[in-house]
């Protein structure tokens, strides 16, 4: 999809436009010391400056409390914004046009729906599989974590997901979603994920 590419380009453009000294200067007074800028650390209390900014490399580091990273991280840590929000804030600040988020077309919408339905299916399978639950217990994965990340279990079967979802979705949609594969020889669709834990990515 073209969208992905334009967002990558957008992220890159913001990265290049951001001035880390300018950003940090909103929170602390920086002074030039040789090649670097130095000031009191905005992340911990101190009387002598141990916060250092390298404008050329676009990095900050505190020799006192150990924090460090790039301009995005600095902004996120100081404002509490998540990455997508930080990206938009910084784009506005440095005059980078924000690409429009294209609404998904009908086909993409069906694929997303199929993935959601599959996640529900895998979650139910996990609830009813004593083996998978025991395995997660052994790995010390808590119930809270399972729920938070929507972990699921793909049963040890070639057609269970297919049969559960085909009343609502065409096989083509399931194939495009990557949930179902097709054997070359028999040209028969089958479940791609079998006998394994499933971690949905949102
Ligand atoms: Zn510090």
């Amino acid at each position: 999809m073209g969208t992905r590419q334009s967002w990558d380009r957008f992220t890159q453009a913001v990265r290049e436009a951001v001035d880390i000294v300018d950003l940090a200067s909103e929170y602390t007074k920086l002074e030039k010391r040789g090649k670097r800028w130095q000031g009191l650390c905005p992340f911990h209390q101190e009387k002598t400056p141990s916060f250092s900014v390298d404008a050329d490399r676009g990095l900050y580091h505190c020799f006192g409390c150990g924090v460090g990273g790039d301009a995005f991280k600095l902004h996120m840590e100081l404002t509490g914004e998540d990455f997508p929000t930080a990206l938009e804030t910084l784009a506005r600040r440095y005059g980078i046009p924000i690409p429009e988020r294209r609404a998904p077309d009908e086909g993409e919408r069906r694929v997303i729906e199929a993935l959601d339905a599959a996640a529900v299916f895998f979650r139910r399978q996990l609830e009813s599989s004593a083996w998978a639950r025991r395995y997660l217990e052994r790995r010390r994965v808590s119930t809270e974590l399972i729920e938070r990340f929507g972990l699921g279990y793909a049963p040890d079967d070639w057609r269970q997901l297919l049969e559960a979802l085909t009343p609502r979705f065409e096989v083509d949609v399931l194939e495009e979603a990557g949930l179902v594969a097709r054997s070359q020889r028999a040209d028969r669709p089958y479940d791609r994920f079998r006998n394994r834990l499933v971690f949905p990515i949102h």
Side-chain angles (χ1 to χ4, degrees):
M1 280 188 278
T3 327
R4 160 105 241 152
Q5 218 181 7
S6 73
W7 271 88
D8 286 349
R9 263 207 305 275
F10 169 59
T11 308
Q12 190 54 34
V14 176
R15 205 177 281 286
E16 278 162 20
V18 165
D19 178 346
I20 192 167
V21 174
D22 170 49
L23 273 187
S25 295
E26 284 211 353
Y27 298 88
T28 182
K29 190 172 171 315
L30 292 177
E31 277 172 25
K32 191 119 199 242
R33 290 260 187 284
K35 286 184 67 182
R36 290 160 174 261
W37 295 77
Q38 246 184 15
L40 295 175
C41 178
F43 297 100
H44 84 278
Q45 288 281 337
E46 62 176 1
K47 294 211 169 67
T48 51
S50 45
F51 184 74
S52 162
V53 175
D54 184 332
D56 294 340
R57 293 166 66 205
L59 298 173
Y60 71 99
H61 178 72
C62 174
F63 295 95
C65 66
V67 297
D70 63 4
F72 283 155
K73 187 169 174 212
L74 178 69
H75 177 81
M76 284 157 70
E77 302 266 297
L78 288 170
T79 60
E81 290 180 0
D82 61 12
F83 186 73
T85 313
L87 201 54
E88 291 204 17
T89 307
L90 295 174
R92 282 205 191 87
R93 179 169 175 151
Y94 293 99
I96 305 296
I98 299 167
E100 264 178 58
R101 284 178 197 272
R102 185 174 56 89
D105 65 29
E106 175 62 18
E108 287 161 358
R109 219 166 45 72
R110 288 297 284 163
V111 166
I112 292 165
E113 283 169 7
L115 288 168
D116 286 344
V120 172
F121 170 84
F122 289 137
R123 269 206 300 281
R124 293 214 179 108
Q125 294 296 318
L126 178 60
E127 280 160 20
S128 57
S129 164
W131 177 87
R133 284 206 321 274
R134 260 203 315 277
Y135 174 79
L136 285 172
E137 263 166 42
R138 269 210 313 278
R139 300 281 302 268
R140 296 183 193 286
V141 178
S142 68
T143 317
E144 193 250 326
L145 219 61
I146 293 172
E147 275 164 22
R148 179 140 61 100
F149 292 105
L151 295 199
Y153 170 66
D156 193 9
D157 189 283
W158 294 87
R159 299 186 56 82
Q160 220 163 307
L161 177 75
L162 197 61
E163 274 157 22
L165 295 192
T166 35
R168 287 171 55 201
F169 299 96
E170 316 264 310
V171 175
D172 286 354
V173 172
L174 300 178
E175 250 188 289
E176 197 176 331
L179 295 164
V180 158
R182 201 179 276 274
S183 72
Q184 291 283 334
R185 259 186 323 165
D187 193 32
R188 255 168 73 93
Y190 61 88
D191 293 356
R192 173 175 282 174
F193 302 107
R194 295 177 308 278
N195 195 26
R196 59 164 96 164
L197 294 169
V198 186
F199 301 77
I201 299 167
H202 295 286

